[in-house]
Amino acid sequence: MKHKKHDIERASSTARTRSTVSFGDYEGLDEYTALNKYITSYRDPRGGDAEDAKDAGTHRHWWAFWASAPRAPGQDAGVVPPEWLNTDIHQGISTAEAEKRRKVYGWNEITAEKESMLKKFLGYFTGPILYVMELAVLLAAGLQDWVDFGVIIGILLLNATVGWYQEKQAADVVASLKGDIAMKATVVRDGQEQNILARELVPGDIIIVEEGQTVPADARLICDYRSPEDFETYNKLKEQEKFRDEEDPDEENKEVDEQGTPLVTTHGHSILACDQSAITGESLAVDKYMGDVVFYTTGCKRGKAYAIAQTSAKHSFVGRTASLVEGAKDQGHFKAIMDSIGTTLLVLVMFWILAAWIGGFFRHLKIATPRNSSVNLLHYALILLIVGVPVGLPVVTTTTLAVGAAYLAKQKAIVQKLTAIESLAGVDVLCSDKTGTLTANQLSIRDPYVAAGQDVDFMMAIAALASSHNVRSLDPIDKVTILTLKRYPKAREILNQGWRTEKFTPFDPVSKRITSVCYLGKDKYVCAKGAPRAILNLTNCDEQTTKLFRDRASEFARRGFRSLGVAYQKNDGDWILLGLLSMFDPPRHDTAETIVEAQALGVPVKMLTGDAIAIAKETCKMLALGTKVYNSRKLMHGGLSGTMQHDLVERADGFAEVFPEHKYQVVEMLQQRGHLTAMTGDGVNDAPSLKKADCGIAVEGASEAAQAAADIVFLAPGLSTIVLAIKTSRQIFQRMKAYIQYRIALCLHLEIYLVTSMIIINETIRVQLIVFIALFADLATVAIAYDNAYSEERPVEWQLPKIWIISVILGVLLAIATWIIRGTLYLPNGGIVQNFGSVQEILFLEVSLTENWLIFVTRGSKTWPSFQLVAAIFGVDVIATIFALFGWLSGHPIRASPASHFHQRLDGWTDIVTVVVIWAYSIGVTIVIAIVYYMLNRIKWLDDLGRKDRSHKDVALENTISVLSKLAVEHGTDKHGTERYILATRAAEEEDDDE
């Protein structure tokens, strides 16, 4: 226990050292001095955040394979001692105290309870298919067939061990990279501000919450960062119990008096504004005051303040909500497919067992005797259970996905749900945002337009004043505005004249501008920067100035530039228009080529952007993406409905000026038409559409909310990563499809042959050899997860009718081939036997070889098989050959009816020449089957069998839904005073006016 404690403390200490960064560069500097220093010293960090983000505290002894990653040894009851919440904002808590509290409350993160390695291993013995195989174990024990008993258990253990190990390895790779998207937090510890991983927070930590950051824990606001003296006021109010208890954010400020009048209990002025839309649906930021609780994972939109962490993430509002669905596991479409195949095979097994038993009754076979023979009814059932149940099916398919996820992780694509790989392989439409995905997200300001009589340096200074000055978390537009001042030294001199910011209002989607109230001496300046029309509407410019301004804004838009108007108001006088900033975000160097590649893969790209339509069209032209780009208003308020609206979405190359609800609607309409849709996003507001999409993709730099909603998170920028992921997922899909066809054919092969041989000649392959055939089949295909697979040139899907038809044909051909070799043994000279041999061993070798080589057929011929697959199959073939040569487990010859005429050796040995002939015959069988398989895939109707219509119209349904969406139930009173509910047309929504 002492060693374990030491390991935990050492790991935690290592994590702390690794993730702690001091923020001393701008300490003690006033706002504009810090801003100038930032402009001078900024270096583009193309290497990204080098902070190591591996999970800390996860060390465990190598031999403790069953143990889950170490967690805090104490119990987190969710109740924090009151004395822990009295931390001084200047000193914070000590590092040692933080370690102590973490042992009680664990890491500050919401994760599914980590399953122990032992439980995970035992999980590989559960499921319908595995239960049937375990029934076979009991049956073998009851028949006292101890060899069969041991080998069947060995097969189960093999599958479980390989599956557990491969999935663990893949999970470790993904987990090691997940830290790259870990949330960060600024805290006060040991009297210093430190930047740490949010998971390292503990209750009682002093957090600094500021604009642009995600709140890292449920925390109570103490005071404004610029007014630390208010800490005393906070303490007094707390002693007087003036603060509300931690609550549901939906119930904030909803207390009412006896008359129903709201009671708003606030203290002082608003310190922060937080975006709680992800948890409450409120579209506007919520003002937060001293003593209010800011909630975990919400975004801070304005202000900077001290706050104290109230509890761990697990017991936060979001954490409690997450725990309600902790037990729900979305198995998705993939599990439904696997269940369908497994259930069908189990039904077939029952059918063949029934047929074998009926034939056995006519042969007067006993139920369990003779004891040392495979020719009795229970042994028939045991044999068919072994050959008819694909015990490796769940393990091989799951581990193939896990290995694929590990490969994608190395390509900087973190798969959060394994089933997302299958979804991505079938995607046939990709809805992509523009900034940072199609473009480089490297804004630069070109030559600005300056209004007549105005000074460019003063305009750039006003633009910088109307920007956020929080240099730790600048948005791209404010960042490029401020950094452009490197080219305007006189503008920087203007900023150094003693400006003081009284109020800063971040971008508001309603007013479409950013404003700040500043003072220079006794003069008051209101500085504004925003959409050209919004800025122009503030001013009272003459007609000529207005025309020039609008013409230049239109020209910038036609050239693909984003433009921002700049204006100011001095001492409450008239607004003065200064000019326009033109910003350009160039396409990524590889985007045009990648789009062509995506289209070649059957995945057209639709661009969804918030930019103006002129900018969107220009970007599409530069990327050869198509020019059918529409304003989102045409989608929402253009008078289109039903089928016409769906047609617009299908044929469009993109939409401009979109809002999150537009993205959701586009995805929904494409899905209604039968398309499998992938959606990229990066913001909190993109979360609904990412959830709605068949495969939600959070792009590089996405918010925590977007990452949580997405199925796949990309750590590398651009569209090329998405195309690479599509190709990889299709390769993974191909491996699974090849294995499933192979496994179904194997089950049918032996079921058909064995049952017909039981009925016709009263003979079977000994159960001891059957279990080794099953073992070899699993051993040979363990390496399929590492096979070289090809990527289909069109979206893939499970064509179950086609899979079953081809698998049945392959199974029948294999059964016929086995009957042919059995038939030759009735010839007087023994047919295939050259010198001597054994019926059991000859059949065993032929079945083993043809079944093992079938995987080379179903995997296709477009790529060479991997070394791992070839080596695995060659290894089991050699073992099978040794079985035949030395007659292992052949037993006494089974007397068939009619009996074979050639002389069988009692010891079961087979001569080497006969073995060579069997190899040659098996090669010939495999070639014939490969030709048949190739021809089947060339048949047009069969190749398309089971494919869904990816663009199907249901005109009546679409139009009906459209009409119903415009209706509403209205409640009223008629002229007789009777209350009635009537169906009426919904009131038309008012459109926003940008003019």
Side-chain angles (χ1 to χ4, degrees):
M1 187 66 190
K2 182 178 179 181
H3 290 300
K4 184 175 181 181
K5 180 179 179 182
H6 175 70
D7 287 339
I8 294 173
E9 290 179 349
R10 182 179 61 185
S12 300
S13 176
T14 303
R16 183 176 63 253
T17 303
R18 181 174 60 242
S19 63
T20 300
V21 176
S22 176
F23 275 144
D25 290 348
Y26 303 104
E27 295 300 328
L29 301 180
D30 65 73
E31 179 179 1
Y32 290 93
T33 305
L35 190 65
N36 265 295
K37 183 172 182 179
Y38 174 75
I39 296 170
T40 305
S41 61
Y42 177 80
R43 296 293 181 270
D44 193 0
R46 290 297 167 210
D49 189 356
E51 216 170 293
D52 189 353
K54 290 184 179 180
D55 284 346
T58 56
H59 175 75
R60 58 173 173 266
H61 294 294
W62 64 268
W63 45 264
F65 64 89
W66 61 84
S68 53
R71 294 178 303 181
Q75 294 297 319
D76 180 0
V79 179
V80 179
E83 61 271 15
W84 283 16
L85 302 179
N86 294 326
T87 314
D88 183 79
I89 64 170
H90 304 289
Q91 290 300 315
I93 61 175
S94 66
T95 301
E97 178 65 19
E99 296 295 335
K100 173 185 171 183
R101 297 184 183 187
R102 187 172 300 118
K103 291 175 184 178
V104 177
Y105 287 89
W107 298 102
N108 181 61
E109 59 186 352
I110 299 174
T111 56
E113 194 64 29
K114 291 193 177 179
E115 195 176 7
S116 74
M117 292 295 101
L118 180 59
K119 285 183 180 178
K120 199 168 187 65
F121 181 74
L122 293 177
Y124 283 96
F125 295 95
T126 61
I129 291 177
L130 281 307
Y131 294 149
V132 174
M133 204 64 173
E134 287 152 14
L135 176 63
V137 172
L138 297 177
L139 186 54
L143 293 169
Q144 297 184 1
D145 264 339
W146 302 117
V147 173
D148 307 335
F149 175 81
V151 175
I152 297 172
I153 289 179
I155 293 173
L156 291 169
L157 287 172
L158 170 72
N159 278 283
T161 303
V162 171
W164 173 84
Y165 178 75
Q166 287 188 337
E167 191 169 358
K168 177 182 176 298
Q169 291 291 97
D172 288 346
V173 172
V174 174
S176 68
L177 290 176
K178 267 197 172 181
D180 291 344
I181 57 174
M183 193 192 307
K184 307 295 192 300
T186 305
V187 298
V188 178
R189 287 223 185 128
D190 298 316
Q192 295 183 7
E193 290 185 17
Q194 301 176 0
N195 191 26
I196 66 172
L197 296 176
R199 72 189 299 267
E200 297 176 14
L201 285 174
V202 295
D205 253 324
I206 297 297
I207 310 168
I208 297 174
V209 182
E210 58 183 317
E211 171 195 331
Q213 288 187 346
T214 301
V215 179
D218 277 8
R220 192 177 297 280
L221 287 182
I222 297 175
C223 61
D224 192 294
Y225 183 80
R226 294 170 297 183
S227 305
E229 62 276 6
D230 289 344
F231 182 46
E232 297 300 326
T233 306
Y234 168 86
N235 284 330
K236 290 178 182 177
L237 291 172
K238 183 180 177 184
E239 288 175 5
Q240 297 169 12
E241 298 183 352
K242 295 290 187 180
F243 300 143
R244 295 189 299 271
D245 292 334
E246 184 183 346
E247 58 200 3
D248 184 329
D250 279 324
E251 299 301 321
E252 283 185 305
N253 299 333
K254 293 184 181 178
E255 301 172 24
V256 295
D257 60 17
E258 295 178 357
Q259 287 74 37
T261 305
L263 295 174
V264 181
T265 53
T266 59
H267 303 282
H269 63 87
S270 170
I271 301 175
L272 296 179
C274 288
D275 177 9
Q276 298 183 166
S277 58
I279 56 178
T280 66
E282 296 172 278
S283 58
L284 297 178
V286 178
D287 285 331
K288 295 288 184 176
Y289 300 83
M290 179 183 290
D292 284 352
V293 173
V294 288
F295 295 95
Y296 179 54
T297 72
T298 59
C300 179
K301 292 299 184 183
R302 171 179 54 77
K304 182 176 181 180
Y306 290 105
I308 184 166
Q310 297 294 290
T311 186
S312 62
K314 185 167 64 174
H315 296 284
S316 66
F317 171 78
V318 173
R320 293 195 304 271
T321 304
S323 67
L324 297 177
V325 293
E326 189 174 321
K329 293 184 179 179
D330 178 20
Q331 301 294 346
H333 183 246
F334 176 71
K335 187 175 186 300
I337 293 293
M338 294 301 103
D339 286 346
S340 168
I341 294 171
T343 302
T344 305
L345 290 174
L346 290 178
V347 171
L348 286 174
V349 167
M350 296 301 108
F351 167 78
W352 290 113
I353 289 176
L354 179 62
W357 276 43
I358 292 173
F361 290 142
F362 281 100
R363 290 281 187 179
H364 305 292
L365 297 184
K366 304 297 183 182
I367 292 180
T369 57
R371 282 184 56 187
N372 296 322
S373 171
S374 294
V375 186
N376 60 61
L377 297 182
L378 283 180
H379 272 95
Y380 279 8
L382 178 60
I383 288 169
L384 290 170
L385 284 176
I386 294 170
V387 302
V389 178
V391 64
L393 180 63
V395 173
V396 171
T397 50
T398 301
T399 54
T400 300
L401 287 173
V403 171
Y407 177 78
L408 284 171
K410 292 177 181 176
Q411 308 302 316
K412 301 296 184 182
I414 296 176
V415 178
Q416 306 205 112
K417 290 194 303 185
L418 286 181
T419 52
I421 294 176
E422 181 218 10
S423 301
L424 187 59
V427 160
D428 65 326
V429 175
L430 172 61
C431 296
S432 173
D433 60 346
K434 180 179 77 74
T435 305
T437 305
L438 300 178
T439 61
N441 196 17
Q442 295 176 9
L443 284 174
S444 61
I445 293 182
R446 302 303 175 94
D447 292 335
Y449 162 70
V450 184
Q454 301 300 325
D455 176 54
V456 65
D457 292 298
F458 187 71
M459 182 181 81
M460 295 306 299
I462 293 295
L465 289 169
S467 302
S468 168
H469 298 162
N470 179 7
V471 296
R472 295 171 186 165
S473 56
L474 291 171
D475 72 21
I477 292 178
D478 283 350
K479 184 176 181 179
V480 71
T481 302
I482 291 170
L483 292 177
T484 301
L485 265 64
K486 284 184 178 180
R487 307 203 311 256
Y488 297 91
K490 290 184 179 179
R492 291 170 61 190
E493 290 177 7
I494 294 172
L495 287 181
N496 283 329
Q497 291 176 358
W499 292 86
R500 176 173 53 85
T501 303
E502 181 184 79
K503 182 181 180 182
F504 174 74
T505 305
F507 181 78
D508 176 9
V510 177
S511 66
K512 297 186 179 180
R513 63 177 182 264
I514 299 172
T515 57
S516 63
V517 179
C518 305
Y519 282 87
L520 180 60
K522 295 182 179 179
D523 292 326
K524 174 186 175 183
Y525 288 81
V526 181
C527 309
K529 176 177 94 241
R533 289 176 183 174
I535 297 299
L536 188 61
N537 289 340
L538 289 174
T539 64
N540 294 315
C541 297
D542 58 69
E543 185 176 342
Q544 183 180 3
T545 303
T546 300
K547 185 177 184 303
L548 282 172
F549 184 86
R550 286 181 171 171
D551 289 346
R552 187 54 64 93
S554 299
E555 180 189 345
F556 284 154
R558 284 194 300 271
R559 293 167 59 190
F561 295 170
R562 174 186 295 179
S563 52
L564 291 177
V566 182
Y568 76 99
Q569 180 189 46
K570 183 176 180 180
N571 294 328
D572 299 323
D574 290 335
W575 281 90
I576 298 174
L577 184 67
L578 292 174
L580 280 170
L581 303 179
S582 62
M583 298 185 176
F584 182 60
D585 183 11
R588 293 179 55 82
H589 65 90
D590 58 347
T591 298
E593 180 183 347
T594 304
I595 288 174
V596 172
E597 195 173 2
Q599 291 169 341
L601 292 172
V603 185
V605 179
K606 294 182 184 293
M607 183 179 76
L608 306 179
T609 178
D611 286 339
I613 190 166
I615 296 175
K617 284 187 174 182
E618 185 67 22
T619 304
C620 283
K621 288 177 185 176
M622 297 172 69
L623 297 173
L625 196 57
T627 55
K628 296 193 289 290
V629 181
Y630 305 102
N631 191 300
S632 60
R633 286 186 182 163
K634 186 166 186 177
L635 174 66
M636 300 292 289
H637 309 298
L640 301 178
S641 62
T643 297
M644 294 178 65
Q645 198 175 31
H646 285 73
D647 287 341
L648 173 70
V649 170
E650 267 199 309
R651 72 169 182 261
D653 296 315
F655 287 95
E657 299 183 28
V658 298
F659 289 97
E661 59 268 25
H662 301 151
K663 293 184 179 182
Y664 186 94
Q665 187 175 14
V666 167
V667 170
E668 186 175 44
M669 287 184 177
L670 289 170
Q671 289 175 330
Q672 288 170 354
R673 281 287 171 95
H675 295 284
L676 260 71
T677 309
M679 177 75 210
T680 69
D682 58 0
V684 172
N685 292 330
D686 291 328
S689 54
L690 291 175
K691 273 285 187 186
K692 177 65 176 173
D694 297 287
C695 185
I697 300 170
V699 296
E700 186 252 354
S703 66
E704 284 86 358
Q707 291 167 359
D711 302 307
I712 300 177
V713 178
F714 287 123
L715 303 182
L719 196 66
S720 58
T721 309
I722 299 175
V723 173
L724 173 64
I726 291 174
K727 288 182 177 179
T728 304
S729 63
R730 291 185 185 179
Q731 291 171 349
I732 296 166
F733 183 93
Q734 178 61 29
R735 294 186 189 110
M736 291 191 297
K737 188 176 177 182
Y739 174 76
I740 288 170
Q741 282 186 323
Y742 158 84
R743 206 63 183 85
I744 294 174
L746 260 58
C747 293
L748 293 172
H749 168 207
L750 283 175
E751 286 171 342
I752 294 170
Y753 173 75
L754 291 175
V755 173
T756 52
S757 68
M758 290 169 184
I759 295 172
I760 297 172
I761 62 176
N762 195 30
E763 180 188 80
T764 186
I765 300 175
R766 285 174 59 85
V767 66
Q768 288 88 350
L769 293 175
I770 286 292
V771 294
F772 275 97
I773 287 175
L775 177 62
F776 291 165
D778 280 343
L779 280 171
T781 53
V782 159
I784 191 69
Y786 300 96
D787 188 28
N788 299 322
Y790 65 92
S791 172
E792 285 278 3
E793 294 182 356
R794 59 177 174 172
V796 298
E797 57 189 293
W798 292 107
Q799 297 171 262
L800 287 184
K802 176 185 174 183
I803 288 176
W804 275 104
I805 288 175
I806 291 179
S807 298
V808 168
I809 292 173
L810 297 182
V812 169
L813 289 176
L814 287 170
I816 291 172
T818 305
W819 261 115
I820 289 173
I821 203 170
R822 180 65 183 92
T824 68
L825 300 179
Y826 276 105
L827 296 174
N829 62 354
I832 201 170
V833 178
Q834 303 301 303
N835 296 310
F836 55 85
S838 162
V839 171
Q840 289 291 309
E841 297 293 354
I842 289 170
L843 292 176
F844 169 78
L845 181 59
E846 189 272 343
V847 168
S848 295
L849 294 178
T850 52
E851 288 197 345
N852 290 342
W853 295 345
L854 182 66
I855 191 65
F856 292 132
V857 175
T858 60
R859 67 176 297 281
S861 58
K862 295 184 180 179
T863 57
W864 288 100
S866 66
F867 170 77
Q868 294 96 321
L869 185 62
V870 173
I873 292 177
F874 180 74
V876 297
D877 288 346
V878 169
I879 297 172
T881 301
I882 294 173
F883 264 72
L885 286 171
F886 298 105
W888 291 350
L889 300 177
S890 62
H892 295 290
I894 296 175
R895 182 170 292 277
S897 179
S900 300
H901 297 292
F902 81 98
H903 175 67
Q904 295 190 59
R905 288 185 54 151
L906 295 179
D907 57 10
W909 283 40
T910 304
D911 71 283
I912 186 69
V913 181
T914 300
V915 167
V916 171
V917 172
I918 295 170
W919 269 73
Y921 174 79
S922 300
I923 292 173
V925 169
T926 304
I927 292 173
V928 170
I929 289 177
I931 293 171
V932 172
Y933 182 79
Y934 174 79
M935 293 175 64
L936 288 172
N937 280 286
R938 299 288 291 180
I939 299 173
K940 179 64 176 173
W941 72 267
L942 183 58
D943 191 42
D944 293 330
L945 184 64
R947 278 193 176 272
K948 296 177 182 177
D949 183 1
R950 294 297 183 102
S951 181
H952 60 79
K953 288 186 182 181
D954 190 335
V955 177
L957 180 61
E958 290 172 355
N959 289 335
T960 300
I961 292 174
S962 175
V963 171
L964 290 175
S965 68
K966 296 178 181 179
L967 299 178
V969 176
E970 292 185 358
H971 175 254
T973 306
D974 63 15
K975 61 183 180 180
H976 302 294
T978 305
E979 292 187 350
R980 295 183 182 275
Y981 291 90
I982 59 173
L983 198 62
T985 303
R986 189 190 302 272
E989 295 181 9
E990 294 183 5
E991 296 184 25
D992 293 334
D993 187 3
D994 281 349
E995 294 297 325

